[in-house]
Amino acid sequence: MTMEMTMRWYGKEYDTVTLEQIRQTGYVKGIISTLYNKLPGEVWELDEILALKKEVEDAGLHLAGIESVNVSDAIKTGGPERDKDIAAYIKTLENLGKADIHLVCYNFMPVFDWTRTELDRKREDGSTVMAYNQDVIDRMDPKKMFDTIKNDMNGTVMPGWEPERMAKVQELFEMYKDIDEDKLFDNLKYFLEAIMPVCDQYNINMAIHPDDPAWSVFGLPRIISSQAKLKRMMDMVPNPHNGVTFCMGSYGTNLNNDLIATVRMLKGRIHFAHIRNLRFNDGMRDFEESAHLSEDGTFDMHGVMKALYETGFDGPIRPDHGRMIWGEKAMPGYGLYDRALGAAYLCGLWESIRKDARKL
Ligand code: DNO
């Protein structure tokens, strides 16, 4: 059984980290990337995909999957452009399949992708981390969300928080005003049913990303946020290519979500894993992203990795948001140093779990 240790890379125009540095970690063999200039609804041409793949391979690494091929708001809301956007999505999947890429991460979150209230909370050791405080959200005008964090991005463009998208936030809220959970589920089903044939043809695993945080923010519906909802989403389109990105830092924001039980429930449907830890300061109302190490946060990292191993997980896995340490200036969560520590730690856990299992 193999799992592939990967790191997310934003492309040479956007990332402060180079492929050479990633390769030199020694632990990371695969790259997760995307075409950052593509808007939802646009077709990814085969030659553009092959160029990205070549760049990664020339650096001695493997392009293990795409995070993300973004889903348009017309698809999420069932708007008039939906069928046109789905046709473009299918074409993109076909081109990815032709380029021998078999994993696509995406999300179905309305308006905002993941939500944090601070990008550089200082910890006692001088490192900085991303954090979330519910009181801040409760007081905030959602249309000003972006303004509160835009100066803390270290000059980078954070996916999900693209300025062009945030400029239209008012319009986006308008588009989602009649969308409740059931409608969002229906629109997800419509989308998945339409793309499953091309996924079957090219063996493409679709891996939906959980909502972050795993509850409704600003009154917007959130449907990938609990075990029951994950089950609903899997059962409504019962094709193994309809799977999940097990992002424990997102899904685990809700302490009622049992991480290990969820991994077991999702057996065979976890196609991609984002592994990180959180520290809770005031129940779920305030949390920050800790080091990956179990004792720095709240989660049982060994327990989760063991559940992944025991359920036969064999896809790409990546350390997720890291702290900013050693003076690094990078996209919050996506510096090299702490993610490299995370990758080494996760590889260590995996090796020990694997060797112990073989003794049985
Ligand atoms: C945050 C990421 C998300 C994720 C998307 C998937 O760091 O985990 O932005 O990539 O939700 O579409």
Side-chain angles (χ1 to χ4, degrees):
M1 174 163 42
T2 51
M3 65 84 178
E4 183 177 12
M5 185 53 65
T6 65
M7 210 180 254
R8 190 176 192 182
W9 181 66
Y10 290 98
K12 60 176 176 310
E13 283 140 60
Y14 298 89
D15 212 315
T16 56
V17 179
T18 64
L19 290 173
E20 188 185 24
Q21 288 172 317
I22 295 176
R23 186 176 184 201
Q24 286 177 358
T25 62
Y27 296 86
V28 176
K29 309 289 179 205
I31 289 292
I32 299 293
S33 193
T34 187
L35 295 179
Y36 281 96
N37 54 347
K38 289 287 176 187
L39 292 172
E42 266 183 86
V43 173
W44 296 24
E45 302 301 341
L46 182 57
D47 57 337
E48 300 171 306
I49 298 167
L50 291 173
L52 173 67
K53 192 173 176 212
K54 180 168 186 315
E55 193 179 3
V56 170
E57 287 175 356
D58 285 351
L61 293 157
H62 165 234
L63 185 57
I66 300 296
E67 179 175 352
S68 312
V69 180
N70 284 316
V71 175
S72 72
D73 294 299
I75 295 177
K76 291 181 187 174
T77 59
E81 309 270 274
R82 140 161 95 175
D83 290 332
K84 179 173 100 8
D85 289 356
I86 289 179
Y89 208 99
I90 290 173
K91 187 77 199 142
T92 297
L93 291 175
E94 190 182 319
N95 288 338
L96 288 169
K98 286 184 182 153
D100 205 17
I101 295 170
H102 303 282
L103 168 71
V104 171
C105 171
Y106 70 104
N107 75 73
F108 226 72
M109 291 182 241
V111 186
F112 298 114
D113 189 326
W114 53 296
T115 308
R116 289 292 93 96
T117 53
E118 287 157 79
L119 303 182
D120 57 354
R121 180 181 292 183
K122 221 180 182 111
R123 295 180 93 195
E124 57 279 17
D125 62 4
S127 60
T128 60
V129 294
M130 293 198 275
Y132 179 92
N133 184 288
Q134 188 65 40
D135 297 330
V136 173
I137 294 283
D138 291 346
R139 281 194 305 266
M140 191 184 286
D141 171 356
K143 283 145 205 131
K144 305 231 168 71
M145 176 85 209
F146 183 62
D147 296 336
T148 59
I149 54 171
K150 70 172 182 219
N151 295 324
D152 301 329
M153 296 182 177
N154 292 333
T156 61
V157 178
M158 294 174 70
W161 296 96
E162 297 82 3
E164 317 81 71
R165 182 174 166 78
M166 290 299 108
K168 301 191 305 187
V169 82
Q170 178 99 38
E171 218 178 288
L172 287 170
F173 267 92
E174 196 51 35
M175 277 178 89
Y176 284 90
K177 75 175 186 321
D178 297 322
I179 305 292
D180 59 14
E181 279 191 7
D182 285 335
K183 286 211 180 100
L184 204 54
F185 265 117
D186 287 346
N187 294 342
L188 175 59
K189 182 164 189 263
Y190 185 96
F191 167 68
L192 284 170
E193 282 175 346
I195 64 170
M196 281 300 115
V198 73
C199 294
D200 289 339
Q201 189 183 347
Y202 290 96
N203 188 24
I204 296 178
N205 285 328
M206 294 301 297
I208 197 165
H209 190 280
D211 302 332
D212 186 347
W215 55 80
S216 164
V217 276
F218 304 125
L220 295 163
R222 299 283 226 180
I223 56 171
I224 308 297
S225 51
S226 69
Q227 213 170 310
K229 290 179 186 175
L230 279 167
K231 187 159 185 333
R232 175 169 172 187
M233 113 94 208
M234 290 200 309
D235 290 350
M236 77 187 184
V237 182
N239 179 323
H241 291 123
N242 167 28
V244 171
T245 296
F246 184 72
C247 177
M248 64 186 281
S250 301
Y251 182 72
T253 50
N254 190 333
L255 288 165
N256 301 315
N257 287 339
D258 181 332
L259 294 170
I260 293 173
T262 305
V263 170
R264 296 200 184 284
M265 180 196 79
L266 292 171
K267 186 175 178 353
R269 301 289 275 273
I270 299 182
H271 298 315
F272 185 24
H274 292 177
I275 303 296
R276 66 181 157 92
N277 201 352
L278 296 175
R279 183 191 285 187
F280 291 85
N281 301 310
D282 174 17
M284 284 148 55
R285 293 191 70 81
D286 186 281
F287 63 80
E288 59 194 52
E289 298 179 349
S290 66
H292 285 71
L293 188 72
S294 295
E295 65 213 51
D296 195 49
T298 303
F299 300 148
D300 174 3
M301 305 300 281
H302 176 268
V304 170
M305 292 293 277
K306 190 157 182 275
L308 283 169
Y309 182 87
E310 287 172 356
T311 49
F313 173 75
D314 64 355
I317 190 167
R318 66 172 183 78
D320 204 2
H321 304 169
R323 301 161 301 146
M324 213 48 81
I325 58 172
W326 304 338
E328 187 175 17
K329 279 252 169 291
M331 184 188 300
Y334 289 98
L336 173 66
Y337 303 146
D338 198 38
R339 284 189 303 152
L341 293 177
Y345 172 61
L346 299 178
C347 285
L349 286 174
W350 193 261
E351 179 176 344
S352 119
I353 292 163
R354 183 167 48 82
K355 289 187 174 161
D356 280 353
R358 289 209 179 137
K359 270 189 234 132
L360 293 176

